[in-house]
Amino acid sequence: GQNIDQPTEMTATEGAIVQINCTYQTSGFNGLFWYQQHAGEAPTFLSYNVLDGLEEKGRFSSFLSRSKGYSYLLLKELQMKDSASYLCAVRDTATGFQKLVFGTGTRLLVSP
Amino acid sequence: GAGVSQSPSNKVTEKGKDVELRCDPISGHTALYWYRQSLGQGLEFLIYFQGNSAPDKSGLPSDRFSAERTGGSVSTLTIQRTQQEDSAVYLCASSPTGSLPMNTEAFFGQGTRLTVV
């Protein structure tokens, strides 16, 4: 089976840095994804990690440690528009294919 | 089309009726996923297709739920004898299938908001 854990909610101030953690346990592993979802909208892709280390993309960075079953999403220079839910998802190969399983998401509130 | 298309965007149905939700994935994407999202909640996995076959149906909540995919393209999710607890947004996503380290991100449709009254 799969188990993906994220904090339920976080708050931060405009201009600050925030780190959203994700821990996972899966039978097989073939990549970890972070998605952003604004209220009432579909999730949109932010980042992908399959090898250990840090992937940087503008204000967003994502880190993966496969041995620890751990990832984080780092958001720098926070803006009000970053208020959204952030979803961690793992591609699980237990079935022999590539099932994509999501955590419950972290609701981030950015205040002025 | 350029993206994943779902229809209808909104559906209100009476308790006990059957509903059919449609998903048109991005052309050429072999993997297709159905998720359910209740208000303020995360994405609950329902079923996953690889081509026309469903290697994993473990997320379907009950035998009232079924899904099929034809021609490696369009998929329909059918809910029979709907109940009020079925009310949610049903999201479809598709992705290409590739081998590591290729990024095979899933692209989401806008969802179908189902309300059972």
Side-chain angles (χ1 to χ4, degrees):
Chain A
Q2 308 89 24
N3 192 28
I4 302 172
D5 289 315
Q6 307 177 231
T8 304
E9 199 167 281
M10 297 182 72
T11 57
T13 306
E14 198 174 12
I17 298 173
V18 70
Q19 177 175 313
I20 302 174
N21 296 324
C22 171
T23 58
Y24 64 89
Q25 290 177 306
T26 56
S27 305
F29 178 82
N30 188 10
L32 185 143
F33 299 79
W34 284 95
Y35 281 78
Q36 180 190 59
Q37 186 179 28
H38 284 100
E41 297 182 11
T44 55
F45 170 77
L46 285 179
S47 69
Y48 169 68
N49 296 71
V50 67
L51 301 175
D52 291 350
L54 189 69
E55 293 285 338
E56 297 187 79
K57 191 187 286 188
R59 293 189 300 115
F60 293 4
S61 303
S62 57
F63 171 83
L64 175 68
S65 168
R66 288 172 295 169
S67 62
K68 295 181 180 177
Y70 168 70
S71 172
Y72 67 73
L73 179 70
L74 193 71
L75 293 78
K76 303 175 188 175
E77 300 168 18
L78 281 173
Q79 303 175 7
M80 298 296 288
K81 67 178 182 180
D82 297 329
S83 291
S85 286
Y86 292 86
L87 309 173
C88 172
V90 173
R91 185 152 275 155
D92 187 348
T93 56
T95 57
F97 294 92
Q98 297 179 14
K99 173 181 172 181
L100 189 61
V101 180
F102 282 79
T104 53
T106 298
R107 195 174 308 120
L108 174 66
L109 178 63
V110 180
S111 57
Chain B
V4 178
S5 177
Q6 291 188 246
S7 60
S9 53
N10 277 285
K11 176 74 177 178
V12 180
T13 189
E14 291 182 352
K15 178 181 171 182
K17 301 280 189 184
D18 297 353
V19 295
E20 210 171 78
L21 313 180
R22 178 186 168 106
C23 173
D24 277 279
I26 293 172
S27 178
H29 280 190
T30 52
L32 186 148
Y33 307 84
W34 282 101
Y35 297 90
R36 179 169 73 174
Q37 188 172 36
S38 301
L39 189 64
Q41 303 299 310
L43 272 65
E44 176 189 2
F45 171 82
L46 297 179
I47 188 170
Y48 154 63
F49 287 93
Q50 184 68 33
N52 290 338
S53 64
D56 196 322
K57 306 178 184 180
S58 61
L60 294 177
S62 73
D63 59 8
R64 296 187 295 105
F65 288 71
S66 63
E68 65 174 15
R69 189 180 185 194
T70 55
S73 181
V74 172
S75 175
T76 54
L77 176 69
T78 302
I79 309 173
Q80 296 178 308
R81 305 181 302 281
T82 51
Q83 304 293 313
Q84 288 185 327
E85 62 261 28
D86 300 335
S87 296
V89 175
Y90 289 81
L91 288 162
C92 174
S94 71
S95 73
T97 303
S99 52
L100 291 175
M102 189 172 111
N103 174 8
T104 54
E105 71 188 78
F107 294 83
F108 281 83
Q110 290 301 307
T112 294
R113 182 177 300 279
L114 175 67
T115 304
V116 182
V117 297

